[in-house]
Amino acid sequence: MPHPLVTANELAALLDDAASGGAPVRVLDVRWSLGGPAGLPLYREGHIPGAVYVDLDTELARQGEPQEGRHPLPDAADFQAAARGWGLNDGDTVVVYDDWNSLAAGRAWWLLRYMGASDVRVLDGALSAWTTAGHPLAVGADDMTSVVPGAITLSAGHEPVLSADDAASLPANGVLLDARAGERYRGETEPIDPRAGHIPGAISAPTSANLDDAGHFLDPDTLRERYEALGVSVDRAVGVYCGSGVTAAHDALALTVAGFRPAVFPGSWSAWANQPERPVATGATP
């Protein structure tokens, strides 16, 4: 698998090569944040040239029952249709970015991998890395209206996932990580879901610890040390969840950079908390 991160200058070089007849590169703008602002107006104000806007709520998730969580995985056929609408073809290099510490971009990266895309990368440092490096932005929506539909073939199941039952049993013989902020893990606050706390046996692993002060992912050795200190090893199963399955992908990306193969619980806490029969733990310990 190609390295899951790309620097701004590496992306610029890939785009220059593609413009000169080299391998195609598709750039996806996945700006989104819980509670706004909306990503599409930001895209129109300025985006990486050639990028296509992707809506997380409607294209990287589907509507479901509360017991499925707030961002259930989209059906494979629907996702394939969306990806073709972004202009993706089999074998394309796909680069995703946002302006939210790569949290939404991590979801796009993981979902594309789960659906079978072969070369997906996240712009390390998010959009600010691109502008800080001196690269230009395009304005308006011409890059959206000029997309030539692609013919990518996708199907579900190319990355491991956890059901609620899997998440419940994993701490007995593996490691289950909670990617949310520490106060939500401890149950001190819960602004969205019906119950506060964490899955019994889960270990707190906030996404903020994956990045340096500039929003870049830590180097592989440092990330490996971080996760090994939480009990992760190559010979133990590791899974991760968050609030609704979005930021869990950020930990999954960091774990992948560190050399591990994580599974994601897509329903995450929003699914667990809406199943009254599921137990809840609170406090700082698993």
Side-chain angles (χ1 to χ4, degrees):
M1 182 178 71
H3 195 281
L5 299 176
V6 63
T7 69
N9 288 337
E10 289 170 341
L11 174 56
L14 287 170
L15 291 171
D16 286 344
D17 181 67
S20 300
V25 180
R26 310 298 179 187
V27 182
L28 305 180
D29 183 314
V30 199
R31 275 180 278 185
W32 177 90
S33 60
L34 189 63
L40 185 55
L42 297 176
Y43 168 88
R44 292 190 177 112
E45 291 173 9
H47 57 269
I48 293 177
V52 174
Y53 178 71
V54 174
D55 184 77
L56 188 147
D57 285 319
T58 61
E59 296 180 293
L60 303 183
R62 62 174 170 82
Q63 296 299 310
E65 297 299 322
Q67 294 81 4
E68 296 179 277
R70 284 180 278 113
H71 288 107
L73 299 184
D75 294 330
D78 292 339
F79 187 72
Q80 177 179 270
R84 290 178 175 182
W86 309 329
L88 304 192
N89 290 291
D90 292 323
D92 285 351
T93 294
V94 184
V95 177
V96 295
Y97 73 90
D98 61 25
D99 60 355
W100 190 40
N101 287 327
S102 298
L103 294 169
R107 166 73 172 210
W109 168 84
W110 181 85
L111 185 56
L112 281 160
R113 292 289 306 162
Y114 172 78
M115 293 290 186
S118 59
D119 184 0
V120 190
R121 314 180 198 187
V122 171
L123 175 59
D124 194 17
L127 183 59
S128 62
W130 178 264
T131 54
T132 298
H135 300 298
L137 296 177
V139 298
D142 288 348
D143 288 325
M144 294 283 289
T145 58
S146 62
V147 174
V148 176
I152 193 169
T153 302
L154 298 173
S155 60
H158 297 267
E159 291 292 330
V161 296
L162 301 174
S163 66
D165 288 342
D166 294 333
S169 62
L170 182 58
N173 52 21
V175 180
L176 180 64
L177 301 176
D178 185 318
R180 298 173 300 161
E183 59 268 23
R184 291 186 70 191
Y185 170 87
R186 294 188 295 270
E188 296 167 1
T189 183
E190 181 46 66
I192 307 168
D193 297 312
R195 294 190 288 168
H198 59 266
I199 296 174
I203 296 169
S204 182
T207 57
S208 57
N210 294 326
L211 306 177
D212 64 19
D213 291 341
H216 294 269
F217 280 84
L218 302 175
D219 64 85
D221 289 341
T222 302
L223 287 171
R224 190 176 304 113
E225 290 174 1
R226 180 205 178 193
Y227 286 108
E228 286 178 342
L230 296 174
V232 179
S233 66
V234 294
D235 57 356
R236 298 183 74 193
V238 57
V240 60
Y241 73 94
C242 60
S244 69
V246 173
T247 58
H250 196 277
D251 268 7
L253 175 55
L255 284 159
T256 301
V257 171
F260 302 108
R261 182 82 189 283
V264 169
F265 175 21
S268 285
W269 183 250
S270 57
W272 187 277
N274 276 290
Q275 299 175 30
E277 71 278 12
R278 302 285 180 187
V280 170
T282 58
T285 60

